[in-house]
Amino acid sequence: MQRRHVLLGAAATLFGFSGCIAPFTSDGSLQEVNVELRNTDDGAQTFHLALETESGMLDWESYRVNAGADEPVTIAPDKDVTPVAVHGVVKDFAERVDISGVDELEENYCLQFHFWDSHPIDERPQLAQVADIEC
């Protein structure tokens, strides 16, 4: 009986502390997200992008890309946001890419993504994180 009270007391103590423990975040700050939009189609296409942070989703932005063209896009979020994912839509393709590799960065950083309506290898749309870089 006494062992059960000790275990219940320990569990209650841990639950009490859990509200005080902050999630681990990077010492660096996200400066910008760079996305290369690539339209390999014969006609212009509209790409839609949104950055998701721990605070929620930023506004969706739309970009019209001419036929056979690449267009670089920069998303500059407010300071001190923690990025979670990038969302993208083109034609009937929708994708979410979780952001990885930034938890231990101590410097300010930027993220790079490719968003292609047709990837050269499999000819399907693709949204992918390319790299995390120091700005």
Side-chain angles (χ1 to χ4, degrees):
M1 184 75 145
Q2 184 177 9
R3 181 175 180 198
R4 180 177 173 194
H5 289 294
V6 170
L7 289 174
L8 289 174
T13 302
L14 286 175
F15 286 128
F17 283 131
S18 67
C20 300
I21 298 173
F24 175 79
T25 57
S26 168
D27 289 336
S29 177
L30 175 63
Q31 301 298 298
E32 59 189 33
V33 176
N34 299 300
V35 182
E36 176 192 313
L37 304 176
R38 178 169 290 170
N39 179 9
T40 61
D41 201 44
D42 293 335
Q45 292 193 72
T46 302
F47 291 77
H48 309 278
L49 290 171
L51 177 65
E52 181 181 350
T53 69
E54 280 189 343
S55 303
M57 185 81 78
L58 301 183
D59 290 337
W60 282 88
E61 297 289 334
S62 298
Y63 306 91
R64 190 86 172 149
V65 180
N66 291 329
D70 294 349
E71 182 176 326
V73 170
T74 299
I75 301 169
D78 292 335
K79 292 188 178 205
D80 299 325
V81 300
T82 301
V84 173
V86 170
H87 298 257
V89 175
V90 65
K91 298 188 250 183
D92 60 352
F93 172 80
E95 183 70 11
R96 169 196 160 118
V97 176
D98 293 329
I99 294 172
S100 61
V102 297
D103 291 343
E104 297 180 19
L105 294 176
E106 295 178 7
E107 301 290 327
N108 291 341
Y109 61 95
C110 298
L111 297 171
Q112 294 182 348
F113 289 82
H114 284 163
F115 189 13
W116 298 345
D117 76 320
S118 179
H119 191 272
I121 294 175
D122 60 10
E123 299 179 356
R124 294 186 323 186
Q126 182 185 72
L127 174 61
Q129 182 177 346
V130 179
D132 55 309
I133 59 170
E134 293 182 11
C135 299

mmCIF file of all heavy atoms in Angstrom, residues 87-104:
data_model
loop_
_atom_site.group_PDB
_atom_site.id
_atom_site.type_symbol
_atom_site.label_atom_id
_atom_site.label_comp_id
_atom_site.label_asym_id
_atom_site.label_seq_id
_atom_site.Cartn_x
_atom_site.Cartn_y
_atom_site.Cartn_z
ATOM 1 N N HIS A 87 3.620 24.160 -46.414
ATOM 2 C CA HIS A 87 2.502 23.567 -47.140
ATOM 3 C C HIS A 87 2.499 24.131 -48.548
ATOM 4 O O HIS A 87 2.761 25.325 -48.738
ATOM 5 C CB HIS A 87 1.172 23.906 -46.458
ATOM 6 C CG HIS A 87 1.059 23.373 -45.072
ATOM 7 N ND1 HIS A 87 0.313 22.258 -44.777
ATOM 8 C CD2 HIS A 87 1.592 23.791 -43.903
ATOM 9 C CE1 HIS A 87 0.394 22.016 -43.473
ATOM 10 N NE2 HIS A 87 1.162 22.941 -42.927
ATOM 11 N N GLY A 88 2.216 23.283 -49.532
ATOM 12 C CA GLY A 88 2.167 23.742 -50.909
ATOM 13 C C GLY A 88 1.079 23.045 -51.706
ATOM 14 O O GLY A 88 0.764 21.877 -51.461
ATOM 15 N N VAL A 89 0.502 23.786 -52.671
ATOM 16 C CA VAL A 89 -0.522 23.249 -53.559
ATOM 17 C C VAL A 89 -0.231 23.740 -54.965
ATOM 18 O O VAL A 89 0.059 24.917 -55.176
ATOM 19 C CB VAL A 89 -1.939 23.718 -53.141
ATOM 20 C CG1 VAL A 89 -2.991 23.247 -54.138
ATOM 21 C CG2 VAL A 89 -2.273 23.256 -51.738
ATOM 22 N N VAL A 90 -0.285 22.827 -55.956
ATOM 23 C CA VAL A 90 -0.238 23.167 -57.376
ATOM 24 C C VAL A 90 -1.113 22.142 -58.101
ATOM 25 O O VAL A 90 -1.071 20.957 -57.784
ATOM 26 C CB VAL A 90 1.189 23.192 -57.946
ATOM 27 C CG1 VAL A 90 1.843 21.823 -57.927
ATOM 28 C CG2 VAL A 90 1.223 23.794 -59.342
ATOM 29 N N LYS A 91 -1.934 22.607 -59.022
ATOM 30 C CA LYS A 91 -2.915 21.754 -59.715
ATOM 31 C C LYS A 91 -3.721 20.991 -58.666
ATOM 32 O O LYS A 91 -4.251 21.601 -57.753
ATOM 33 C CB LYS A 91 -2.234 20.822 -60.710
ATOM 34 C CG LYS A 91 -1.499 21.520 -61.828
ATOM 35 C CD LYS A 91 -1.030 20.542 -62.865
ATOM 36 C CE LYS A 91 0.463 20.402 -62.838
ATOM 37 N NZ LYS A 91 1.015 19.539 -63.838
ATOM 38 N N ASP A 92 -3.767 19.663 -58.762
ATOM 39 C CA ASP A 92 -4.499 18.859 -57.780
ATOM 40 C C ASP A 92 -3.565 18.200 -56.771
ATOM 41 O O ASP A 92 -3.935 17.255 -56.096
ATOM 42 C CB ASP A 92 -5.356 17.802 -58.485
ATOM 43 C CG ASP A 92 -4.532 16.846 -59.326
ATOM 44 O OD1 ASP A 92 -3.317 17.071 -59.494
ATOM 45 O OD2 ASP A 92 -5.096 15.857 -59.831
ATOM 46 N N PHE A 93 -2.346 18.715 -56.645
ATOM 47 C CA PHE A 93 -1.334 18.182 -55.734
ATOM 48 C C PHE A 93 -1.243 19.074 -54.495
ATOM 49 O O PHE A 93 -1.130 20.292 -54.601
ATOM 50 C CB PHE A 93 0.023 18.148 -56.440
ATOM 51 C CG PHE A 93 1.192 17.795 -55.556
ATOM 52 C CD1 PHE A 93 1.449 16.480 -55.224
ATOM 53 C CD2 PHE A 93 2.022 18.788 -55.061
ATOM 54 C CE1 PHE A 93 2.535 16.155 -54.420
ATOM 55 C CE2 PHE A 93 3.103 18.465 -54.252
ATOM 56 C CZ PHE A 93 3.364 17.153 -53.925
ATOM 57 N N ALA A 94 -1.314 18.466 -53.322
ATOM 58 C CA ALA A 94 -1.147 19.180 -52.058
ATOM 59 C C ALA A 94 -0.166 18.400 -51.198
ATOM 60 O O ALA A 94 -0.234 17.172 -51.116
ATOM 61 C CB ALA A 94 -2.483 19.323 -51.340
ATOM 62 N N GLU A 95 0.748 19.111 -50.547
ATOM 63 C CA GLU A 95 1.787 18.445 -49.766
ATOM 64 C C GLU A 95 2.133 19.281 -48.540
ATOM 65 O O GLU A 95 2.046 20.512 -48.571
ATOM 66 C CB GLU A 95 3.042 18.238 -50.617
ATOM 67 C CG GLU A 95 4.164 17.495 -49.947
ATOM 68 C CD GLU A 95 3.885 16.015 -49.725
ATOM 69 O OE1 GLU A 95 2.901 15.490 -50.275
ATOM 70 O OE2 GLU A 95 4.645 15.392 -48.999
ATOM 71 N N ARG A 96 2.535 18.608 -47.492
ATOM 72 C CA ARG A 96 3.055 19.229 -46.280
ATOM 73 C C ARG A 96 4.425 18.613 -46.037
ATOM 74 O O ARG A 96 4.567 17.385 -46.040
ATOM 75 C CB ARG A 96 2.143 18.926 -45.095
ATOM 76 C CG ARG A 96 2.748 19.320 -43.756
ATOM 77 C CD ARG A 96 2.003 18.661 -42.609
ATOM 78 N NE ARG A 96 2.824 18.655 -41.415
ATOM 79 C CZ ARG A 96 2.498 19.280 -40.296
ATOM 80 N NH1 ARG A 96 1.368 19.931 -40.208
ATOM 81 N NH2 ARG A 96 3.302 19.229 -39.254
ATOM 82 N N VAL A 97 5.433 19.456 -45.817
ATOM 83 C CA VAL A 97 6.775 18.964 -45.518
ATOM 84 C C VAL A 97 7.157 19.450 -44.128
ATOM 85 O O VAL A 97 7.242 20.662 -43.883
ATOM 86 C CB VAL A 97 7.809 19.467 -46.554
ATOM 87 C CG1 VAL A 97 9.210 19.021 -46.167
ATOM 88 C CG2 VAL A 97 7.458 18.965 -47.941
ATOM 89 N N ASP A 98 7.349 18.503 -43.214
ATOM 90 C CA ASP A 98 7.794 18.853 -41.868
ATOM 91 C C ASP A 98 9.238 19.333 -41.937
ATOM 92 O O ASP A 98 10.070 18.739 -42.626
ATOM 93 C CB ASP A 98 7.687 17.648 -40.939
ATOM 94 C CG ASP A 98 6.241 17.244 -40.687
ATOM 95 O OD1 ASP A 98 5.365 18.128 -40.696
ATOM 96 O OD2 ASP A 98 5.990 16.045 -40.496
ATOM 97 N N ILE A 99 9.531 20.394 -41.211
ATOM 98 C CA ILE A 99 10.864 20.979 -41.215
ATOM 99 C C ILE A 99 11.726 20.221 -40.223
ATOM 100 O O ILE A 99 11.343 20.008 -39.075
ATOM 101 C CB ILE A 99 10.794 22.477 -40.875
ATOM 102 C CG1 ILE A 99 10.052 23.186 -42.005
ATOM 103 C CG2 ILE A 99 12.182 23.051 -40.661
ATOM 104 C CD1 ILE A 99 9.744 24.626 -41.741
ATOM 105 N N SER A 100 12.903 19.818 -40.681
ATOM 106 C CA SER A 100 13.813 19.057 -39.821
ATOM 107 C C SER A 100 15.209 19.662 -39.898
ATOM 108 O O SER A 100 15.533 20.400 -40.820
ATOM 109 C CB SER A 100 13.847 17.588 -40.254
ATOM 110 O OG SER A 100 14.311 17.494 -41.582
ATOM 111 N N GLY A 101 16.025 19.326 -38.916
ATOM 112 C CA GLY A 101 17.426 19.707 -38.935
ATOM 113 C C GLY A 101 17.736 21.096 -38.426
ATOM 114 O O GLY A 101 18.829 21.598 -38.654
ATOM 115 N N VAL A 102 16.810 21.738 -37.703
ATOM 116 C CA VAL A 102 17.079 23.090 -37.225
ATOM 117 C C VAL A 102 17.103 23.191 -35.703
ATOM 118 O O VAL A 102 17.369 24.266 -35.166
ATOM 119 C CB VAL A 102 16.061 24.105 -37.797
ATOM 120 C CG1 VAL A 102 16.172 24.176 -39.297
ATOM 121 C CG2 VAL A 102 14.654 23.776 -37.369
ATOM 122 N N ASP A 103 16.858 22.102 -35.007
ATOM 123 C CA ASP A 103 16.761 22.140 -33.548
ATOM 124 C C ASP A 103 18.049 22.579 -32.862
ATOM 125 O O ASP A 103 18.004 23.212 -31.822
ATOM 126 C CB ASP A 103 16.346 20.778 -32.996
ATOM 127 C CG ASP A 103 14.918 20.437 -33.351
ATOM 128 O OD1 ASP A 103 14.169 21.350 -33.733
ATOM 129 O OD2 ASP A 103 14.555 19.261 -33.272
ATOM 130 N N GLU A 104 19.201 22.262 -33.429
ATOM 131 C CA GLU A 104 20.456 22.535 -32.742
ATOM 132 C C GLU A 104 21.250 23.672 -33.365
ATOM 133 O O GLU A 104 22.410 23.876 -33.015
ATOM 134 C CB GLU A 104 21.289 21.260 -32.688
ATOM 135 C CG GLU A 104 20.599 20.169 -31.873
ATOM 136 C CD GLU A 104 21.396 18.891 -31.803
ATOM 137 O OE1 GLU A 104 22.606 18.921 -32.063
ATOM 138 O OE2 GLU A 104 20.792 17.855 -31.481
#
